[in-house]
Amino acid sequence: MTGEWSDPRAFDAGWLDDFASWTARAALESLVDEALAGPELAGALRRESLRATDVREGLLENESLLAKIRMLQDQVSAEGASGFRPRGRPVRVSELGWLLIPFVLEVGYLSLLQRAWDAMPVFLRIFAVLALPCGLVAAVARMSRRTPELRARFTSGPAEFGDEQLGLGRRRPFALREIVLPEARDFISAHRLLHYGTELVFEKQCELYEEATGDVVPTAAAKRLRRILERAGTGAIALGGQRGSGKTTAILSLQRGLIHGTENPAPLVVVAAAPANYDARDFVLHLHGLLCKAVLDLLWNELPPVRSWRSWLRRGARLSADLIGSAAVAWAIGGWLWDGSFTRFPIELGLLLRRIHFPDLIDPLWTDQPAGNRIALIVIVLLALRWTLKVLRIPIDVLLDAVQRKRSAGLLELEADARRQLDRIRYLQTHTSGWSGKLLFPGSADLGRTQSTQRAEQQLTHPEVVAEFRAFAQRTAGLLRGEGVTDRLVVAIDELDKIGEQEKAQQLVNDVKGIFGVPGCLYLVAVSDDAVLSFEQRGLAMRDAFDSAFSELVRLEPFTQDESRLWIAQRLPGVPEQFCHLGHCLSGGLPRDLRRVTIDMVDVTTELYQPSLSAVTSILLRAELTAKTSAFTGQARALEQTTELAQLWTKLLRIPETREAAELAALAAELHEGATHDLATPVNLLRHHSSAFVLFCATMLELFTDALTDDRLTPALHQLAVARRHLALDPHLAWSTLTDFRKAHDLALPE
């Protein structure tokens, strides 16, 4: 560490008055220096042309970051040696072998060198002495690389306190990964190198169709969801927000471990889509089956390979075949090289082995033998050494297999239980048993009797299905946490907001909320804006299914202007800021629409080379106007034909033909002419929708031109994104927002 806080021994006497603050500051500085030295931030600093000293100073001045470090120190002090400890990966035999083999080879080399020293010529002695340190260095290097990892696995208890820990103990990696690095990324993103220009150019395009591995925009909702995962062990959380606000993306990011804020392993996430037409019993069974599959997939990666008796038989057969093959190879090579008959080679080799006496091995096996015999003996020794290692490995494998079985007994039982549960869900099991007998008499007479019983497992009722799911989920959550495999279960029910009728959505929640409240299991449910409204009205003498089912609500708001700019800049590095603002205004900040607009902008570059801002804006809005005109005329076609509607119809047909911004603004005024505040009238509602949308397009065309310089990219442009969102909710409010914006920016008001 560097700086006045870097050396714990170099402190002023006055700092002793608040030793806790000093250690928190020193720990923060140590973590910041370590983060900035890492390849991730070093590459980001080079890419954004930022200095490490500036980022360092900015992070050290972050009082919120310092408070998080101090709270973590308090938690470490309070927990002591207790707390959740992740499950370590089992040690493989090959890892222990890499420690044992160098040691055995070196000892054998020294033993052979000692016994053969007198019989060795001078040049061979020199070679053997020079080879000895080389072998020692290679063995020590290999052992030093493997020993720390094995020592970390076998060491129990937290690391001892030292100056490098500064009160964080074994949670120092967590503090670096989950506290300092996210703040550093946010700081770099906020101070990133901005590009300005009116030509659409970018370095490359990244992950336009799906979320990148780590490029999750740190919105307020994402941070709150992370905090919920840190503190909530059970309960039901509602994910609210309008369509396209990113509820599904948040659930998928959670499933991939991108929204996770503890040092514990990421939760086991089960995602199910809510059906439009459902049966409550079948839906809970569907959730149960998905949970069983998720548990089996998780245990497939977590459980060590435990061999069954069939695998031991297969291994024995392979070893027998290998032994026969090795013996044949040894006989073939030895008989070809041995100074004697091919058929007599095994007999002569046996006689030779009988004549030698320990420790006199060099003369009969090497000195007194011709060159061909020496080579044959080397081949036989290598094959024998190979088979000795194979034979020695069998009892080691048996012992490790027994240890792994005992160590993973709970997980193996859970795996078997999950398979049984999945089979029970899939099939209606039928068991038939019986007996029959026949007694023959003289004269072809016989007497017989048969008896059989048949058992068919009856279908479980809905309460029984709920009880089975709760029991399995609770058992799974407790066992996985106890074994250190995962911290908790998360069951996410997506697309509930796509059920059009609010009553049906409430009924589904009522039917399945019996599975809520399982210890160690957290539920996330994507709900509609109506459900959010009913939840926020709790305590106002009205309760419904959503209010009684969910303990907390996380509302996903549309992107702010800075969040949209960051989202586009992450996927189109080097793109000018003018186009980032254009994407935000056209999408209204809705993540789904922002992705579509960004893809449309990229598609323009396939037709035009470095298109200008005016050209891109015109192309995108022209496509919007054409599509919306078809929608408006379709609505008009479904209405009762009147003189008022006929006049509006002719104006709607003029929308695709109007090219200039001023003409569009004038057409918007004509469409709005005669509009009233009564949105219940279909013609009047169509008049509001069409006029507001045309005025929005006219405003965008007038503003996003090649004359849009960087000094005009102000936060006031966010009002256009707000107006875009109002178009789908309240066209009258959208019209008012647009007229206020035009007035503030000296644009002609529609008359």
Side-chain angles (χ1 to χ4, degrees):
M1 296 186 296
T2 59
E4 58 178 351
W5 292 95
S6 300
D7 189 357
R9 296 164 294 187
F11 58 86
D12 197 284
W15 295 349
L16 290 175
D17 296 336
D18 191 1
F19 182 74
S21 298
W22 173 77
T23 55
R25 175 83 183 198
L28 175 59
E29 190 161 322
S30 172
L31 291 170
V32 169
D33 289 342
E34 184 177 352
L36 292 176
E40 178 188 355
L41 294 189
L45 293 176
R46 289 193 302 268
R47 186 169 58 251
E48 304 298 343
S49 301
L50 293 174
R51 297 189 307 170
T53 54
D54 296 336
V55 179
R56 186 176 187 274
E57 292 176 0
L59 293 177
L60 294 180
E61 294 173 358
N62 190 334
E63 296 296 332
S64 175
L65 181 58
L66 182 62
K68 293 178 181 178
I69 296 296
R70 187 162 182 177
M71 286 188 291
L72 184 61
Q73 289 177 329
D74 294 340
Q75 293 176 9
V76 172
S77 177
E79 289 178 358
S82 63
F84 180 81
R85 187 175 301 278
R87 177 185 178 88
R89 182 174 64 84
V91 180
R92 297 190 179 96
V93 177
S94 59
E95 296 173 350
L96 296 175
W98 278 111
L99 299 182
L100 180 62
I101 291 175
F103 176 77
V104 172
L105 291 179
E106 289 299 325
V107 172
Y109 182 83
L110 291 175
S111 301
L112 292 175
L113 186 62
Q114 180 183 5
R115 293 185 176 277
W117 184 261
D118 295 335
M120 293 171 61
V122 177
F123 75 92
L124 193 57
R125 293 180 181 180
I126 297 174
F127 176 78
V129 171
L130 293 177
L132 178 61
C134 297
L136 288 175
V137 170
V140 170
R142 180 64 184 179
M143 293 174 68
S144 64
R145 286 195 298 267
R146 304 302 301 179
T147 302
E149 182 180 356
L150 294 173
R151 185 172 61 248
R153 291 177 186 169
F154 289 115
T155 301
S156 60
E160 296 181 357
F161 177 82
D163 290 342
E164 69 277 9
Q165 272 89 31
L166 294 172
L168 297 176
R170 66 179 181 86
R171 302 186 74 177
R172 178 186 174 91
F174 163 73
L176 176 65
R177 184 182 67 253
E178 298 294 341
I179 297 179
V180 176
L181 279 177
E183 291 288 345
R185 296 189 195 103
D186 293 347
F187 186 90
I188 294 175
S189 298
H191 298 80
R192 68 185 184 276
L193 179 63
L194 301 181
H195 303 270
Y196 296 96
T198 56
E199 292 183 348
L200 181 54
V201 292
F202 47 87
E203 299 173 4
K204 59 181 179 179
Q205 47 182 303
C206 313
E207 303 292 343
L208 282 178
Y209 289 92
E210 57 185 36
E211 291 297 331
T213 304
D215 293 338
V216 176
V217 177
T219 62
K223 294 178 180 178
R224 184 179 177 188
L225 189 57
R226 180 191 293 262
R227 291 194 297 270
I228 291 174
L229 291 175
E230 291 177 1
R231 64 174 180 260
T234 185
I237 310 299
L239 291 179
Q242 64 185 102
R243 298 286 296 274
S245 58
K247 296 187 289 294
T248 301
T249 301
I251 291 174
L252 295 179
S253 300
L254 176 63
Q255 188 178 31
R256 282 179 278 185
L258 302 182
I259 304 178
H260 181 52
T262 68
E263 73 271 41
N264 303 340
L268 175 61
V269 182
V270 179
V271 181
N277 296 316
Y278 77 98
D279 177 78
R281 175 185 172 278
D282 291 342
F283 184 64
V284 176
L285 283 175
H286 176 60
L287 285 177
H288 198 162
L290 291 177
L291 178 58
C292 292
K293 293 177 183 177
V295 169
L296 292 175
D297 291 340
L298 178 65
L299 295 182
W300 175 264
N301 298 320
E302 291 292 334
L303 282 176
V306 179
R307 298 176 179 87
S308 62
W309 63 271
R310 292 186 179 87
S311 63
W312 282 109
L313 287 179
R314 288 194 295 268
R315 183 177 181 181
R318 287 196 299 268
L319 287 176
S320 301
D322 193 1
L323 177 60
I324 295 173
S326 299
V329 170
W331 192 356
I333 296 177
W336 177 53
L337 296 173
W338 195 262
D339 186 16
S341 173
F342 179 83
T343 57
R344 289 187 54 81
F345 163 67
I347 300 175
E348 295 181 3
L349 179 61
L351 295 175
L352 176 63
L353 294 178
R354 289 181 181 179
R355 290 198 303 268
I356 63 175
H357 299 283
F358 187 83
D360 186 16
L361 303 177
I362 301 297
D363 291 338
L365 290 178
W366 189 263
T367 307
D368 299 341
Q369 298 295 330
N373 290 15
R374 294 179 183 181
I375 299 175
L377 288 173
I378 291 175
V379 172
I380 293 173
V381 168
L382 291 177
L383 290 174
L385 179 62
R386 173 173 176 266
W387 266 99
T388 301
L389 294 177
K390 281 180 172 290
V391 172
L392 290 177
R393 184 171 177 175
I394 293 176
I396 297 177
D397 287 345
V398 171
L399 179 61
L400 289 179
D401 190 67
V403 172
Q404 290 172 355
R405 280 183 178 276
K406 184 176 181 181
R407 182 173 181 265
S408 305
L411 296 181
L412 291 172
E413 183 181 353
L414 176 62
E415 182 185 27
D417 189 20
R419 294 188 186 279
R420 286 194 300 269
Q421 297 271 358
L422 191 59
D423 290 339
R424 187 179 185 185
I425 292 169
R426 286 177 174 174
Y427 306 108
L428 179 64
Q429 299 176 346
T430 301
H431 174 71
T432 303
S433 62
W435 62 272
S436 63
K438 191 174 184 179
L439 181 62
L440 298 177
F441 292 96
S444 301
D446 63 284
L447 177 65
R449 181 181 179 183
T450 62
Q451 180 178 348
S452 65
T453 59
Q454 187 176 34
R455 300 177 184 177
E457 184 175 344
Q458 298 298 323
Q459 292 189 359
L460 300 178
T461 63
H462 178 61
E464 291 173 330
V465 168
V466 170
E468 289 282 341
F469 178 86
R470 290 179 61 90
F472 180 73
Q474 183 174 353
R475 184 167 60 255
T476 300
L479 185 58
L480 292 181
R481 179 177 175 82
E483 294 288 339
V485 176
T486 186
D487 188 21
R488 74 197 64 188
L489 299 180
V490 176
V491 178
I493 301 177
D494 194 13
E495 300 184 358
L496 185 64
D497 57 333
K498 295 182 180 179
I499 298 179
E501 301 177 13
Q502 181 70 5
E503 293 77 11
K504 291 184 63 177
Q506 291 185 1
Q507 185 62 40
L508 176 59
V509 172
N510 264 329
D511 290 338
V512 302
K513 71 179 181 180
I515 64 176
F516 295 169
V518 177
C521 189
L522 185 67
Y523 294 84
L524 295 177
V525 183
V527 298
S528 62
D529 280 338
D530 293 335
V532 172
L533 179 61
S534 65
F535 185 86
E536 293 175 343
Q537 289 176 344
R538 63 193 184 280
L540 300 179
M542 57 183 68
R543 288 177 59 87
D544 60 9
F546 294 111
D547 182 21
S548 60
F550 300 115
S551 57
E552 195 169 351
L553 167 69
V554 178
R555 181 177 177 85
L556 301 180
E557 299 289 349
F559 282 162
T560 64
Q561 189 168 326
D562 290 338
E563 290 169 352
S564 294
R565 292 165 53 208
L566 176 60
W567 191 94
I568 296 178
Q570 287 176 344
R571 285 148 183 82
L572 301 178
V575 68
E577 286 294 304
Q578 281 87 336
F579 294 92
C580 295
H581 284 77
L582 174 63
H584 175 66
C585 294
L586 285 179
S587 65
L590 290 174
R592 181 183 301 168
D593 292 341
L594 182 64
R595 187 189 303 275
R596 293 170 179 169
V597 171
T598 305
I599 293 173
D600 290 340
M601 284 196 297
V602 172
D603 288 344
V604 175
T605 61
T606 61
E607 302 292 337
L608 300 175
Y609 175 73
Q610 295 184 357
S612 64
L613 179 62
S614 299
V616 173
T617 305
S618 178
I619 292 174
L620 296 184
L621 288 177
R622 187 60 48 197
E624 285 275 352
L625 287 168
T626 303
K628 290 298 186 294
T629 300
S630 299
F632 293 147
T633 55
Q635 293 179 15
R637 192 177 296 110
L639 300 178
E640 182 182 355
Q641 300 300 315
T642 61
T643 304
E644 181 183 13
L645 180 60
Q647 294 175 355
L648 180 60
W649 188 289
T650 58
K651 297 174 184 178
L652 293 174
L653 294 177
R654 289 167 48 195
I655 294 178
E657 303 172 358
T658 308
R659 301 287 181 179
E660 302 297 330
E663 296 177 355
L664 278 175
L667 179 58
E670 294 182 28
L671 291 169
H672 194 263
E673 183 179 359
T676 64
H677 294 288
D678 183 15
L679 299 181
T681 306
V683 176
N684 191 53
L685 181 61
L686 181 59
R687 192 178 278 123
H688 276 287
H689 274 295
S690 59
S691 60
F693 178 76
V694 172
L695 183 61
F696 171 79
C697 294
T699 306
M700 293 291 297
L701 285 173
E702 290 181 75
L703 190 63
F704 286 89
T705 64
D706 295 341
L708 184 62
T709 55
D710 54 344
D711 58 315
R712 296 172 59 190
L713 298 175
T714 64
L717 294 179
H718 180 64
Q719 292 301 314
L720 287 176
V722 174
R724 174 70 175 190
R725 294 201 295 266
H726 288 337
L727 288 174
L729 302 175
D730 189 347
H732 177 70
L733 182 58
W735 178 271
S736 301
T737 304
L738 289 170
T739 54
D740 293 341
F741 179 87
R742 295 177 67 89
K743 183 177 181 180
H745 289 76
D746 297 327
L747 300 178
L749 296 177
E751 299 178 357

